[in-house]
């Protein structure tokens, strides 16, 4: 992965057809996805259960872009190596998921992945100051983590703007996860985001047999952001 601040659309496979992940990933990449976002939930840190390392390993061979794995789990440290071995390019852990986030970020980079740090809607950005040289990506949650299809929390726009100022010229992506649509996407890009996770906004109306709507949806988000 080489760093650039161009707009990247990262469809979340949480909104894909679970019985056809391989085909869904191939279809959405062919329709213009830049990254593939994988939401890992443990039923403990967040109120839902999704995928483990074996699923990530199974879909890795279908991903030609970037495998962006979002770990909504606690504790997170014991699972870093397994998800790295499953093929994650980016591993994102929540600041709130454990007491030693600096160690967690060290472990992610030590496992050969780009290190992401996720912030829940109720979390401030003060704790980020001493972590900026440890991260490759900061994921701002614009919904409460755990389920897709939630409404966008507008208070996070200012958080992104303030984060962008803190980051300065460091090579750190700002990713937005939750409630991204053609209406909310430009608000986040204007504030400084460059990676937009979109689930239902990308996958709605399409299927592996009719993937055209995936491309239409991706292009609509890009166009709304002036891309």
């Amino acid at each position: 992965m080489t760093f650039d601040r161009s707009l990247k659309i990262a469809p979340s496979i949480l909104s894909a057809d679970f019985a056809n992940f391989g085909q869904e990933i191939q279809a959405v990449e062919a329709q213009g996805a830049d990254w593939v976002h994988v939401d890992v939930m443990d039923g403990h840190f967040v109120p839902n259960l999704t995928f483990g390392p074996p699923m990530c390993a199974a879909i890795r061979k279908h991903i030609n872009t970037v495998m962006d794995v979002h770990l909504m789990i606690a504790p997170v440290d014991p699972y870093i190596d397994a998800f790295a071995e499953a093929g994650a390019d980016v591993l994102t852990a929540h600041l709130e998921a454990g007491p030693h986030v600096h160690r967690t970020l060290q472990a992610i980079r030590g496992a050969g992945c780009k290190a992401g740090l996720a912030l829940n809607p109720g979390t401030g950005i003060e704790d980020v100051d001493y972590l900026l040289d440890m991260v490759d990506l900061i994921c701002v949650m614009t919904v409460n983590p755990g389920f897709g299809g939630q409404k966008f929390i507008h208070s996070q726009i200012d958080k992104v703007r303030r984060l962008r100022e803190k980051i300065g010229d460091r090579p750190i992506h700002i990713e937005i996860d939750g409630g991204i649509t053609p209406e909310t996407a430009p608000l986040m890009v204007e504030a400084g985001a460059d990676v937009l996770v979109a689930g239902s906004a990308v996958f709605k109306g399409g299927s592996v047999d009719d993937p055209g709507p995936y491309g239409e949806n991706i292009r609509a988000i890009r166009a709304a952001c002036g891309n």
Side-chain angles (χ1 to χ4, degrees):
M1 284 177 61
T2 56
F3 180 83
D4 70 82
R5 291 197 195 283
S6 65
L7 177 62
K8 288 162 280 294
I9 308 296
S12 168
I13 63 168
L14 193 63
S15 295
D17 177 357
F18 280 28
N20 287 293
F21 271 151
Q23 289 174 286
E24 287 276 52
I25 288 165
Q26 292 168 11
V28 81
E29 285 189 336
Q31 292 294 326
D34 300 290
W35 293 11
V36 174
H37 189 80
V38 184
D39 289 302
V40 175
M41 307 182 192
D42 64 358
H44 167 70
F45 182 66
V46 294
N48 199 3
L49 281 167
T50 57
F51 323 114
M55 174 63 81
C56 290
I59 64 174
R60 172 71 257 192
K61 59 180 171 286
H62 299 283
I63 297 174
N64 291 314
T65 57
V66 170
M67 186 173 179
D68 177 31
V69 179
H70 181 186
L71 299 177
M72 288 172 268
I73 64 176
V76 65
D77 291 6
Y79 301 97
I80 288 170
D81 286 345
F83 281 102
E85 289 167 9
D89 295 301
V90 182
L91 267 183
T92 296
H94 277 253
L95 186 148
E96 309 89 349
H100 305 297
V101 67
H102 190 282
R103 178 184 295 160
T104 298
L105 295 169
Q106 281 182 316
I108 291 172
R109 283 187 164 179
C113 300
K114 298 293 186 183
L117 178 68
L119 307 176
N120 282 336
T123 302
I125 62 173
E126 299 75 20
D127 292 333
V128 170
D129 288 350
Y130 295 101
L131 300 170
L132 286 175
D133 294 324
M134 294 296 303
V135 298
D136 303 290
L137 175 148
I138 298 176
C139 174
V140 175
M141 297 299 300
T142 43
V143 300
N144 284 295
F147 293 95
Q150 297 183 67
K151 292 195 173 174
F152 181 86
I153 300 172
H154 280 78
S155 63
Q156 305 306 293
I157 298 172
D158 182 60
K159 182 188 287 186
V160 170
R161 192 170 284 117
R162 289 166 57 213
L163 269 175
R164 187 69 195 86
E165 290 174 1
K166 281 182 180 287
I167 287 170
D169 61 0
R170 294 178 178 87
I172 299 173
H173 297 291
I174 298 180
E175 179 176 75
I176 307 301
D177 189 354
I180 287 296
T181 66
E183 291 69 45
T184 59
L187 303 175
M188 303 316 282
V189 170
E190 185 276 330
D194 63 288
V195 182
L196 303 178
V197 176
S200 52
V202 166
F203 285 98
K204 67 181 180 183
S207 67
V208 293
D209 296 321
D210 180 25
Y214 299 165
E216 293 168 12
N217 296 335
I218 290 170
R219 289 190 293 274
I221 294 171
R222 289 194 198 281
C225 298
N227 277 250

